[in-house]
Amino acid sequence: MDADTSRALLSRAIARVTNRDSDALKYVYRHTSAKLFGVCLRILNDREEAEDVLQDVYLSVWNKADRFDPEKASPITWLVSMARNRSIDKLRARGGRVMAGVEEAEALPDTAPLASTLVETDEDRLRLNGCLDQLDPKHAGAVRTAFFEGVTYDALAQMIGVPLGTMKSWIRRSLISLRACLEA
């Protein structure tokens, strides 16, 4: 099954969740939980907290599936964004920060388990990495650290030693460049 078909099936399942279809939620969980758990665990670095956040994410899917718009984002992007944001909120609530050296930001490996080839393909990952490699190395490192490790912009600005406004500008411009690259 190709990636477009997989995305369509996942989008339809989320749409069915809006009607309280528990089988549809099971489908979404089965095809995305490994990836989302990897995102939560990577940010929180605590298995129990990651499991709690993951449960919270699927509860949100159950209650807010009607907010998903397949025209604005792919289903996995929507779900990963939710998992990332919830994990960062949990991290902030406990007063913790993700500590990683700036040198590590440019070469962060993606060790999160893949949910399945239905959700994310190697081609998509290679394309994203290729687009990231076209950015200024500092900017690409900042994007990777913020989005793959869950470091807040404020913490990232402090780690690198630049003003918060500068960091926000780097990330914003980088995301615009990434969007253009990925849409090309």
Side-chain angles (χ1 to χ4, degrees):
M1 185 180 316
D2 67 11
D4 290 337
T5 303
S6 300
R7 282 187 200 105
L9 289 172
L10 199 52
S11 292
R12 281 196 292 265
I14 292 171
R16 290 188 358 242
V17 171
T18 62
N19 298 322
R20 300 296 197 200
D21 183 337
S22 61
D23 289 333
L25 183 63
K26 287 177 189 173
Y27 179 89
V28 172
Y29 179 86
R30 193 170 46 249
H31 289 90
T32 62
S33 61
K35 178 68 175 175
L36 299 185
F37 181 70
V39 169
C40 296
L41 186 60
R42 179 180 261 166
I43 293 169
L44 295 167
N45 204 24
D46 181 290
R47 187 171 200 80
E48 191 173 310
E49 283 186 333
E51 289 170 353
D52 289 345
V53 168
L54 186 66
Q55 181 179 354
D56 201 29
V57 168
Y58 286 104
L59 184 60
S60 291
V61 171
W62 182 252
N63 290 319
K64 299 176 183 179
D66 61 326
R67 294 185 184 173
F68 171 65
D69 183 354
E71 298 298 317
K72 291 184 179 176
S74 74
I76 195 64
T77 301
W78 182 68
L79 293 165
V80 166
S81 178
M82 203 180 319
R84 177 185 177 276
N85 292 340
R86 297 255 179 190
S87 296
I88 290 171
D89 290 346
K90 182 80 163 184
L91 190 65
R92 286 179 182 149
R94 73 174 179 191
R97 292 179 189 247
V98 176
M99 295 300 184
V102 175
E103 328 59 57
E104 296 172 29
E106 292 181 291
L108 290 172
D110 185 4
T111 58
L114 294 175
S116 74
T117 55
L118 297 176
V119 178
E120 181 179 337
T121 65
D122 288 336
E123 183 179 300
D124 292 336
R125 190 171 38 259
L126 289 172
R127 192 160 173 224
L128 176 60
N129 284 332
C131 289
L132 280 166
D133 289 343
Q134 292 178 18
L135 298 175
D136 176 279
K138 281 186 181 179
H139 299 182
V143 169
R144 283 185 170 109
T145 303
F147 289 93
F148 298 156
E149 293 297 319
V151 176
T152 64
Y153 293 176
D154 185 41
L156 190 55
Q158 289 176 17
M159 285 170 40
I160 295 175
V162 297
L164 178 59
T166 300
M167 181 56 60
K168 287 180 178 179
S169 293
W170 284 5
I171 300 281
R172 183 177 169 277
R173 286 193 311 262
S174 296
L175 293 177
I176 290 169
S177 295
L178 285 174
R179 173 183 273 167
C181 178
L182 290 170
E183 289 176 353

